[in-house]
Amino acid sequence: MHRDHGDEPVFRRSQWGTTRYVYNARNPVGRGLIIGSLLFAVGALYYLQASSSWSEGELHDAVHSAARTLEAEDQVVGSWAGDYRSMIRDAIEDSGEGPSTGSTVHVSEVDDTYDRDAGASVDRFEVSTEDVDTVYCLSVSPQEPEFTMSSVEVAVSVTVNENRCA
């Protein structure tokens, strides 16, 4: 005898030897709940991936915002205050751009010791992430003061170029 699918319950006992209930694919409501659950899971995974990685625009905005922030007021450098590299990284993180969790920004100082074309009064840093291919070159002047046990206030000027430091 053929049973009408409208008589099927929305939930049925699992046939895997447990006493749990599962959606019943023979019921139209159960089938809708199965599809809805799958769509919700895919959407949640997409959202989590998008909210934990940098986009090109977010990195661009964060780097330019950090440059403006660093130039806006004198910066304290020295023994406990940190260096230019950490100041740049902190300013990018404080910009409000980018992912709320997950991916980090890499700030690395460029060694210009053997570059005759590099300005003598400029420290250069490359800013990148694992999520985007774009690398930004930040030129910070004046050069970072030599390490001392005391801290020094410095008015910095920051230039941003959208390429590796050449």
Side-chain angles (χ1 to χ4, degrees):
M1 183 165 173
H2 178 37
R3 188 172 182 188
D4 184 18
H5 290 301
D7 293 343
E8 289 283 335
V10 176
F11 300 98
R12 62 179 177 83
R13 281 195 188 268
S14 171
Q15 296 176 353
W16 291 78
T18 65
T19 59
R20 296 185 328 172
Y21 282 86
V22 295
Y23 298 135
N24 185 356
R26 293 184 180 157
N27 183 297
V29 173
R31 195 172 19 253
L33 288 171
I34 291 169
I35 293 170
S37 297
L38 291 173
L39 291 174
F40 176 78
V42 169
L45 290 173
Y46 176 77
Y47 171 77
L48 288 173
Q49 189 277 332
S51 68
S52 64
S53 60
W54 286 88
S55 70
E56 295 280 346
E58 289 173 334
L59 183 60
H60 174 273
D61 293 347
V63 168
H64 286 275
S65 174
R68 288 189 301 273
T69 300
L70 293 172
E71 289 182 327
E73 57 187 49
D74 291 352
Q75 301 299 317
V76 178
V77 272
S79 61
W80 58 269
D83 56 2
Y84 282 173
R85 191 170 65 93
S86 62
M87 287 176 12
I88 293 169
R89 186 178 46 250
D90 291 346
I92 290 171
E93 290 175 359
D94 293 343
S95 70
E97 300 292 335
S100 55
T101 60
S103 185
T104 59
V105 174
H106 305 286
V107 180
S108 56
E109 187 168 5
V110 176
D111 184 8
D112 291 332
T113 306
Y114 302 106
D115 187 356
R116 295 176 194 257
D117 297 331
S121 62
V122 175
D123 283 334
R124 297 187 317 157
F125 301 88
E126 288 184 344
V127 176
S128 63
T129 70
E130 295 174 359
D131 302 324
V132 297
D133 295 330
T134 307
V135 175
Y136 290 88
C137 178
L138 276 67
S139 300
V140 182
S141 63
Q143 280 187 315
E144 188 172 326
E146 292 295 322
F147 179 79
T148 63
M149 292 307 289
S150 62
S151 58
V152 178
E153 283 193 20
V154 180
V156 298
S157 174
V158 181
T159 304
V160 178
N161 292 314
E162 189 175 316
N163 283 316
R164 291 193 171 279
C165 298

